[in-house]
Amino acid sequence: MRKSRLKFAFLKSNRITIPASFFSMILGLVGLGSCWRVAAKIWYLPIWIGESIMLLAVAVWLLLLLLYVSKWLWAREAALTEFEHPVLCCFIGLVPVSTVLVGLAIAPYAHAIAVSLFVIGAIGQLSFGVYRSGQLWMGGLNPETITPVLYLPTVAGGFVSAIGASTLGYREWSALFFGAGIFSWLALESIIMHRLYLLQALPISLRPTLGIQLAPPVVGCVAYLDITSARPDTFAQILFGYGLLQALILLRLLPWLLQQPFAVSYWALTFGVAALALASLRFVERGMTGMMAGLAVLLFISANIVIGSIALGTLRLLLQGKLLPPSIPAKVP
């Protein structure tokens, strides 16, 4: 009996506890896979590349989901610490958001499963977004803890759910999710900009989260294109233009962002980078030519370089045994 208890304690103490932020890998991979799916249509590129990326995303999601569930079962204290953390708790919203994206990845092959994953993910992101927003509405937030991760529960959840609903044929629901996403973005944008402009610079470890700043306009652009038809209108191009501005600012800040050694946190850059390329590809797919056609080529190549480099860096950390970050402090000073 004593041996079995010791064995149980040993297994419990040696569980791998991953942070919820690891699910940002799924956003980047599915985003890149979606780019390849559209590029295969408009430029006749190999279809198998995009599908291979989607397969990799599904496999990584399954592994991360298994590890994350086991974290709540075997390392509940660590899971609760993350859940109550004023910054890192927002990354929990990526769990249902990535579930919606995995549904989109498998939609061409298993529509019923894709719909089920979409329903689970959409309900999950909406529930967590309402819960987290309720916390924020009660006040008392330390301004130093305000970062672009605040976009994840409601903005990312709303836009991704809009894309999922439209892709799977639920256009009415898509418009509702888009509304939730875009007005949440507009409400949060000024708050986050106020913090970035007036308070101390983000700590080095949190600087990669500025990559999330690129995502709202371009993911919103993709969502808007999904709920509309025909040639992209002026509003879609306005969203895309603001996304380009964010990308240029991040490019200007790149030396400052890269002051810390490479870490998994750099995946925060990937969803916005992929969505920027995907939006331009969708423009070309919907009939735009000229300048946009040239931008689509440039952004598609850039997305492959950025996401491919981060994926290779992550693999290197895994092989070196340095993938997992240090334990999370209970509070931010």
Side-chain angles (χ1 to χ4, degrees), residues 11-225:
L11 291 173
K12 184 175 180 179
S13 63
N14 285 274
R15 292 276 175 175
I16 299 174
T17 56
I18 63 161
S21 59
F22 273 32
F23 283 89
S24 59
M25 298 181 194
I26 312 305
L27 277 65
L29 290 173
V30 173
L32 184 61
S34 299
C35 288
W36 273 94
R37 280 181 173 175
V38 179
K41 293 180 182 178
I42 62 178
W43 295 329
Y44 305 103
L45 297 180
I47 296 175
W48 65 267
I49 297 178
E51 300 313 306
S52 298
I53 295 172
M54 291 299 200
L55 178 61
L56 175 62
V58 173
V60 174
W61 174 77
L62 285 171
L63 176 60
L64 292 179
L65 188 63
L66 178 64
L67 293 174
Y68 188 69
V69 171
S70 75
K71 176 180 177 177
W72 278 95
L73 294 175
W74 302 97
R76 184 174 293 270
E77 183 177 351
L80 288 173
T81 298
E82 180 181 52
F83 188 81
E84 295 168 357
H85 195 279
V87 177
L88 301 182
C89 67
C90 292
F91 284 108
I92 295 174
L94 293 180
V95 180
V97 169
S98 65
T99 302
V100 174
L101 289 172
V102 167
L104 296 180
I106 67 172
Y109 308 100
H111 186 269
I113 297 177
V115 171
S116 299
L117 290 175
F118 163 72
V119 171
I120 293 171
I123 293 175
Q125 69 83 12
L126 183 60
S127 300
F128 182 73
V130 169
Y131 174 80
R132 179 60 179 147
S133 297
Q135 285 184 316
L136 297 174
W137 284 21
M138 289 188 287
L141 185 67
N142 180 355
E144 296 289 344
T145 65
I146 297 174
T147 71
V149 301
L150 287 177
Y151 291 130
L152 298 178
T154 53
V155 183
F159 284 152
V160 170
S161 294
I163 296 170
S166 178
T167 302
L168 296 171
Y170 303 102
R171 185 66 63 88
E172 297 85 358
W173 286 101
S174 180
L176 297 181
F177 281 121
F178 180 80
I182 193 166
F183 286 107
S184 295
W185 166 40
L186 295 177
L188 291 170
E189 176 92 355
S190 59
I191 298 172
I192 294 171
M193 286 293 102
H194 182 272
R195 183 261 183 269
L196 295 178
Y197 286 170
L198 300 181
L199 300 185
Q200 290 185 346
L202 287 173
I204 291 179
S205 61
L206 287 178
R207 287 179 191 174
T209 63
L210 279 175
I212 302 173
Q213 194 67 31
L214 169 60
V218 290
V219 179
C221 180
V222 173
Y224 181 73
L225 289 172

Side-chain angles (χ1 to χ4, degrees), residues 207-258:
R207 287 179 191 174
T209 63
L210 279 175
I212 302 173
Q213 194 67 31
L214 169 60
V218 290
V219 179
C221 180
V222 173
Y224 181 73
L225 289 172
D226 273 7
I227 65 175
T228 57
S229 57
R231 187 179 177 86
D233 61 19
T234 302
F235 183 65
Q237 297 174 59
I238 289 172
L239 290 172
F240 183 77
Y242 187 59
L244 280 176
L245 175 63
Q246 302 300 298
L248 291 173
I249 295 173
L250 286 171
L251 191 61
R252 176 255 185 269
L253 290 177
L254 202 56
W256 183 72
L257 295 174
L258 299 178

